[in-house]
Amino acid sequence: MLYFFKILLLLININQETVLNWFGIEDPNSFWGIESSDLSLETLKLIVEGLWLKLQNGLTLSDIESILFFILFVRFLILSIRYNLKTSFYITCIGLVAGYLWYRHLIDLISMYRNVLIKLPFFHNLGVSAIELRSIVRQTVLTDLKLGENVHWYNPIQLIYYAFTKGIVDVDPETGLRHYIDPISMIVANLKEPQRSQIWPIYYKIYNVIIPRVYYACSKFWTQLSGIAAYAVITRIGKRYCPYLVRWHWTFLILIGLVEHVFYYFIFRVYYFQEFVLIPNTYKNFVEENVYLQIYFLNIVTAMIVITHIALILFGMFHAIWGQYFYFPFFVENTELHIGPRPKNSIYSGGNTAWQDEKEKNINRFFPKLWYGWFGRGTEQNWAIFDFLKKFVKRIIKKLKKQFRK
């Protein structure tokens, strides 16, 4: 990431050593036996070989981040040549925000699938990264609960809770005992019998049970609501200031989130069935062969679902980084019902949306079109074979109709 900002300030020299260091090759001269020179075909060869070595070991989150920032860097240079530095910076930042939304979704996804990813050879490192990230986040939360640090203004419930808990507690530095110093606690502490024995149980129930449970419920509710609230404020209220690319990808992510829960729970149920039903049966003296067959079959189904799901998210993330759109039936139509068509007169609105162009031309299709090319460029020129197949199918249907009429 530091390389990206140095490029913006024009403080870095682009040569072979710089590019190779980007891919983690710290000393290319000693390993390959070549001298550092300007960018060349030899540099490209080393880059490809370095990427191939990394891919063989499997992807990690740091590898994905490096690829994303390298794409942003290349795109910034291309746009700088095509437009200017200011316009290139704005367009690159818009793609960065859209890609970040997908990247956050990818992190949530691999956290859900971490138990499956850890078993897959190519995604093993990605599962390890998810487990490490989850443990770091959990440790941070526990530390914050103990110390009350890292409380931010954008989490008002947590801010109020820590202000309340820290303001009413006084810790004796010598004994380490905690004393409540709020007015209610001080009044209750000065009560005399028999009022004390009647009020103290109610007082401790409120402070030790009711207040923590209310905070827990409110925090859970805010966790579920905060994403939708941020989406409504930024893309609805601030629609004028939010680029179309960000609004399109954000809305698309919210829509697919409604369907992804089906796959989450399916994978969880499969994992539970394997761990607590099938695998315990394998330790018995007599095991039927269909138990191993079921385990093997469920592993294949789970791996296919997880790999396909992650591949689709990566597909959308790289489109967002490049400032492009892609077509997916049903979801794209509903996305554009919410935010409208792409503004064609702005260079900040992103790439092509061939399906919107066909809709404007009122093109009626015999078959529903499922593919609009890479980056939404359309398929009329590059995929003319589909037209031939459509004509061929139409001819067969016409011949069948004539046969039935006879």
Side-chain angles (χ1 to χ4, degrees), residues 55-107:
L55 289 176
Q56 286 180 332
N57 296 327
L59 287 174
T60 62
L61 283 176
S62 60
D63 294 333
I64 295 175
E65 291 175 1
S66 299
I67 294 172
L68 293 179
F69 279 107
F70 180 75
I71 291 174
L72 287 172
F73 160 69
V74 172
R75 188 166 185 246
F76 174 77
L77 293 181
I78 295 173
L79 293 174
S80 299
I81 298 172
R82 183 176 180 182
Y83 300 107
N84 52 64
L85 286 175
K86 180 180 178 182
T87 304
S88 176
F89 177 74
Y90 288 158
I91 296 176
T92 305
C93 287
I94 292 172
L96 174 62
V97 173
Y100 176 76
L101 295 173
W102 284 92
Y103 181 70
R104 291 296 309 173
H105 188 73
L106 177 66
I107 291 177

Side-chain angles (χ1 to χ4, degrees), residues 239-251:
K239 178 180 178 180
R240 182 179 178 183
Y241 307 101
C242 185
Y244 181 84
L245 181 74
V246 177
R247 290 188 284 121
W248 192 94
H249 284 280
W250 202 344
T251 306

